[in-house]
Amino acid sequence: MKKEITGNIGKIKLEGRIDISNSGKLKEMLYDLKDKGMKKIIIDMDGLEYIDSSGLGRIFYFFADYKKENGIMEIHNVSNSNVKKIIEIVKLDKIITIK
């Protein structure tokens, strides 16, 4: 996972696997961007090969919290077909903008 900041937009690039062993780091990175005043957060999934329910849960619950403060969050570059299928099954694509 890598974090980038450009102006008031934060981006987290996910790579490899997101599961119970590292989803806590994802949560920390998301809240760090929020605490730094980012108005928009992008999660880039281009390098993501796998995400489990702990990773999806971290994204969903953060989004719910962030949205209360008028934050904008998007998911970009869902290139792995298995990751895309999981996102569709849990209907995350109906809640968060996917580009």
Side-chain angles (χ1 to χ4, degrees), residues 1 5 8 13 15 19 22 24 29 33 35 38 43-44 46 48-49 53 56 58-59 61 65 67 72 81 87 90:
M1 281 179 269
I5 297 173
N8 63 356
K13 292 186 173 188
E15 299 172 342
D19 55 31
N22 61 2
M29 293 174 87
L33 290 172
D35 293 343
M38 298 297 110
I43 299 177
D44 186 337
D46 188 42
L48 190 63
E49 298 169 6
S53 60
L56 291 170
R58 302 283 190 184
I59 292 170
Y61 286 110
D65 186 42
K67 189 175 178 182
I72 298 168
S81 61
I87 287 172
V90 299

Side-chain angles (χ1 to χ4, degrees), residues 34-96:
K34 177 181 171 246
D35 293 343
K36 288 183 176 168
M38 298 297 110
K39 302 296 180 195
K40 181 176 183 178
I41 296 176
I42 296 168
I43 299 177
D44 186 337
M45 294 189 170
D46 188 42
L48 190 63
E49 298 169 6
Y50 173 83
I51 188 165
D52 73 359
S53 60
S54 69
L56 291 170
R58 302 283 190 184
I59 292 170
F60 173 78
Y61 286 110
F62 172 79
F63 174 71
D65 186 42
Y66 190 54
K67 189 175 178 182
K68 290 177 192 172
E69 298 178 21
N70 297 315
I72 298 168
M73 191 164 112
E74 297 176 352
I75 295 174
H76 290 194
N77 303 316
V78 184
S79 55
N80 183 288
S81 61
N82 290 327
V83 172
K84 186 175 184 175
K85 187 174 182 178
I86 291 168
I87 287 172
E88 291 170 353
I89 288 170
V90 299
K91 301 194 184 313
L92 196 61
D93 57 328
K94 306 295 183 202
I95 300 165
I96 301 173

